[in-house]
Structure formats: structure tokens, C-alpha cells
Amino acid sequence: MSAGGHSLDFSLAQKTTVILLCALTALISHLALAVFNDGVRPFMLDFIQGRSTRSATTAVSFGLSAGFIFGLGAPMALSTGVLNPWLLFLPTDVLGLLSPKKWLAPLLGGAWGALVVFGLNGANDVAHDLPVDFLTAMQQMATPILFLFTLFPVLAITRQFGKLRGGIAGIVELALVILTMKLWPDVFPGAAAMAVGVVMLIGFATAKDLRQRRADREEKAAEQRSGAPAGGGGPAGPDAAVTEAELDDPMRSLFSASATRLRKHLPLFMLLGAGVCLLAQMHVFGGGEATSFLIAKEDYSGAAQVDFYRVFGFIPLIATTALASGAYAIAGFTFVYPIGYLLPSPWLALLAGAAVFAVEVLALSWIGRMLGRLPSVRDSSEHLRNAISESLWLAILFGSLLAANTMGGGLGILIVGGLYLLNEATGRVVVRMAAAPAAVLVGGVLLNLLYWLDLFTPVKG
């Protein structure tokens, strides 16, 4: 058993699903139809249009993904016993792009999936047999991640709408956490708080956009009554509209071409959605850091709520980058995660995943137009993403130091904290989010070496 209570000794069905899904995602990456890494997607347009080579695009993908694979994906999987997208889909991004032949891509992806499902359990067993069990120590990350992650809507509201509304949101969330812990001790305490926080943020943003649109209509009506067009010269109306359309036409054409390209491969995307949703339904996969710990605790409804709220931070990013580049996201808008966690049957997961991806791909153009009309809602998405990253960075850092203290006391904190600070001082060789868990793994290895040299006695308990 893993530290998180989940076995890494997967069933045959689970192993088969992971291997086939990794093969499929590598193929889709090879075809430049979708990648998981949001940072890679903007580079895909040059690759699709032949302005960038396959090797150059692969180098970009590897450079942006390696830290997350080995610094976050692998440690999270080993400490929770739950697979995650950084461990499965970032490597298949790289392998798919790397493959020079279409037939080779799924073979490489499937081989990676096999390595994960057959190799993790052995690595897990070896690590737990060491004198300094750093994987069990990494369970200390769970509490900071689950509780500090709850605050991301408060941070987003404060950044976008100021201290007063942010303070009100913070008080409301704190009260809801306390109330949930008191009245419903078996429910994840942050679930209701995050729900209310996200609703408050979207409500503030929507109200602002509606007020702005109403003010714009009133201004336009006043100009028409007075006969004085905005801008001070020439007739307004049709000519101005034509000019705006002409100026906007290149981007509109690009978006239309990208949406058409993705719709042409709708059956492949439906197959992808079915596979991701099935994997989530098997409860061996978590879509995020907090979700992985909730899945490990078998709190599937809590995991579904957490991943559902995250969706609102990523819809605009995924939609706009997909329309601009012609490459979608491997997990789509990630609605398939929470849906999969809650469904009782794998057959329902297959059908639901396929249907969700079909709707998402077909609705991309409409979503892009809607986002253009709601700039404050679009800005809220960016604030949500930044708040999620900021809260998780602090939670992971704090949890990693707790893990260091558990496995090595003051010496553990010195090694792990020192490695983290060294990474910061050298320009972040490992990405910030993954640096602390990677430091725990390296620190655990060093402490075991010191034990074998009779220079360190493991902390008891």
C-alpha cells in the first residue's frame, strides 16, 4: 500500500487503460491536435504551419515539462498512490512530438504507460523499506495543500476587485470552513468555501461587465440622439463597423481555421475524452495536487468539487490558445475529471467523456466569442490561475518542509530548505512549483546515505 492508502499494484483493467490512453495521447500529440502543457500550446501553430521543426518543438516541450514530470508528477504519485496528469500526459506530449513516424508515437506512449503502471509499485516498495521513509513523510503535504488551496478564490477576488471585497470573501470562506468542520466532519471542509468564493468572483466580474455594457449602450444612444459620433469625425455606424471587422479579420480567420481543423478530428477527440473520463472513474487518477490527496482518502465528491472549481480558471486560457494555435488540450476543459470521479459505471464514463469532448470541441468558436464580450470574466480566469499557483506554491513548500522535519528533523529541514533556496539562487533550474517536492526526494536519498555512513539517526515515529 502507498502512504496515501492507495495501492500502486494496479488491476489489469487499470493497467490496460493507462497504457492505451498514453498511446492515444502520444498519437494526438504527434499529430499536433492537442498537448497537455498549456505553455507548449502557443508554440504549436508554428509547428502546424511548418515554420518550426519537430525537433525544435520537442525541445520546447521537454524544457517546459521535465521539471513538472520529475519534480511534481512522480513525487505526488509515489506519496499518494494516485496517478496524475503531469506523470502521464506531459511525457506523452514529449514522446509524441519526438516521434518521427506516426506509427511509432503510440508505441512510445504505450511504453511510457507500461513503465508507470509496472514500475511505480516496485519503486514504492523499495522507498518504504529504506531506513528514512521519505514517501511516508511526504504525506505531510496533504493538510497544507488541502486547506491553503481553499483560499484561491479569496486571492483572485482581492487582486481583481480590491481589499474590501477580498476581505469579505475571506471572512465568508473562513466561516464556511469552520461551519463545515463542525456540522459535517466527514465532508472536505474547503468544498463549500471554494464554491461560494468562485461564485462571488464570477458574480463580481459578470456584474462589472453588465454595468459596462449598459454604460456603453447608453453612451451610444446619447451620441445617436446628439448626432455626434464617437471619435469626433466622420459618420459612425456601418462604416466604423466595417473598419473594425476588417481590422479584426486576420485573427477571426485564424480562429475559424483552428476550430474547423479540430472539428475535423472530432471522433478522435471523443475517443480521448472517453479514455480520460474512464481513467478518472477508476479512482486511480487525480487531476490536481489537492485532488490526488482527496482521491487517496476516497473522498471522491470532494475531489470532484475541487477539480470543478479549477475549471473556471482554465476555460479562457484553453479556449483562446486552442483557437489561436489549432491544438486543443489533452484533458479538454477538464470537466471530464469531476464527471469521471462521480460516475458509478465505466461504461457511463466512456459515454460521458465522449459526449463532453464533443460538446467542447464543437462549442470552441462560440466560447471564444462569448469571452470577447465578457472581458472582466476573462480577467477573472487569469486571476484564478495565478491564485491557484500562488496558494499551491506556498502549500507545497510548507508541506515539503513538514515532510523534511518528519524524516530528518532540523537536518532534514536544512537539506530540503537549502536545496530549495539553492534552486532559487541559481535561476530555478527546477520550476518553482516542483522544486520543493524534488528537494524532499533528494533530501531523503541523502539522509539514507548519511544513515548508511553512520552519520545520521532517523527521527523516531
Side-chain angles (χ1 to χ4, degrees):
M1 296 293 287
S2 78
H6 257 241
S7 173
L8 285 168
D9 187 13
F10 303 106
S11 69
L12 178 60
Q14 292 165 348
K15 290 176 180 177
T16 303
T17 300
V18 171
I19 292 170
L20 291 178
L21 184 57
C22 285
L24 177 62
T25 54
L27 173 62
I28 289 174
S29 172
H30 174 83
L31 298 174
L33 290 174
V35 290
F36 181 79
N37 195 321
D38 294 323
V40 174
R41 204 169 301 115
F43 294 91
M44 297 302 290
L45 180 63
D46 285 342
F47 175 63
I48 291 168
Q49 296 184 347
R51 295 192 297 268
S52 178
T53 63
R54 181 172 293 278
S55 60
T57 309
T58 302
V60 170
S61 180
F62 180 80
L64 293 175
S65 302
F68 286 103
I69 297 168
F70 301 108
L72 189 61
M76 289 293 294
L78 287 169
S79 60
T80 62
V82 177
L83 301 176
N84 58 69
W86 307 287
L87 183 63
L88 295 184
F89 303 147
L90 288 181
T92 57
D93 279 359
V94 178
L95 293 171
L97 290 170
L98 175 67
S99 175
K101 300 292 183 180
K102 181 178 178 180
W103 61 265
L104 183 59
L107 293 181
L108 293 176
W112 174 258
L115 179 64
V116 169
V117 295
F118 288 105
L120 274 183
N121 195 43
N124 181 68
D125 291 341
V126 169
H128 283 305
D129 288 338
L130 293 173
V132 180
D133 185 357
F134 52 87
L135 293 186
T136 298
M138 289 184 74
Q139 283 187 63
Q140 298 295 324
M141 296 170 62
T143 300
I145 287 176
L146 290 175
F147 280 86
L148 287 177
F149 183 73
T150 301
L151 291 174
F152 78 85
V154 176
L155 299 181
I157 290 171
T158 304
R159 293 277 170 76
Q160 187 171 7
F161 297 105
K163 299 175 183 176
L164 178 59
R165 292 182 181 180
I168 293 171
I171 293 171
V172 170
E173 283 210 7
L174 177 61
L176 285 170
V177 168
I178 295 172
L179 189 66
T180 303
M181 294 175 73
K182 183 69 175 177
L183 299 180
W184 304 287
D186 295 331
V187 175
F188 170 49
M194 281 189 290
V196 171
V198 171
V199 169
M200 290 176 71
L201 175 64
I202 295 175
F204 290 148
T206 304
K208 182 179 179 181
D209 282 334
L210 292 177
R211 286 195 302 270
Q212 185 60 50
R213 292 182 68 178
R214 185 164 55 246
D216 290 344
R217 285 197 299 269
E218 291 174 354
E219 181 182 354
K220 185 176 181 180
E223 289 169 356
Q224 289 175 346
R225 287 195 299 268
S226 64
D239 292 339
V242 169
T243 302
E244 182 181 352
E246 289 173 349
L247 290 173
D248 199 35
D249 186 64
M251 186 59 69
R252 188 177 301 166
S253 298
L254 175 62
F255 279 21
S256 177
S258 296
T260 301
R261 177 177 188 265
L262 295 176
R263 285 197 296 269
K264 285 180 180 177
H265 296 88
L266 187 61
L268 195 57
F269 282 115
M270 292 174 68
L271 182 61
L272 175 62
V276 176
C277 195
L278 174 62
L279 185 62
Q281 193 276 334
M282 289 179 164
H283 299 151
V284 295
F285 174 89
E289 300 88 346
T291 314
S292 293
F293 284 106
L294 289 169
I295 293 290
K297 295 179 179 181
E298 300 185 357
D299 184 1
Y300 307 128
S301 62
Q305 291 180 73
V306 168
D307 272 354
F308 179 74
Y309 304 142
R310 286 173 65 113
V311 169
F312 297 101
F314 290 89
I315 286 179
L317 172 68
I318 292 171
T320 53
T321 54
L323 290 170
S325 68
Y328 197 42
I330 287 294
F333 293 137
T334 70
F335 280 116
V336 287
Y337 293 165
I339 291 172
Y341 303 149
L342 297 177
L343 287 175
S345 162
W347 299 110
L348 287 176
L350 288 169
L351 293 174
V356 168
F357 258 52
V359 171
E360 290 180 5
V361 172
L362 293 174
L364 267 178
S365 295
W366 177 82
I367 292 171
R369 290 194 299 270
M370 288 299 297
L371 291 173
R373 298 172 186 171
L374 298 170
S376 295
V377 174
R378 191 174 62 244
D379 291 344
S380 294
S381 167
E382 184 174 350
H383 286 292
L384 274 176
R385 289 197 311 276
N386 292 336
I388 288 171
S389 297
E390 189 173 350
S391 59
L392 283 174
W393 163 72
L394 178 61
I396 290 172
L397 175 60
F398 185 61
S400 296
L401 291 175
L402 288 177
N405 182 63
T406 298
M407 67 184 185
L411 181 59
I413 292 175
L414 173 64
I415 293 174
V416 172
L419 288 171
Y420 179 85
L421 292 174
L422 182 62
N423 184 68
E424 289 285 305
T426 54
R428 295 178 188 163
V429 178
V430 179
V431 291
R432 201 177 201 187
M433 190 76 76
V440 174
L441 292 185
V442 175
V445 173
L446 289 175
L447 288 173
N448 278 290
L449 289 175
L450 291 173
Y451 169 81
W452 287 322
L453 294 172
D454 201 24
L455 296 174
F456 170 71
T457 301
V459 176
K460 294 183 178 181

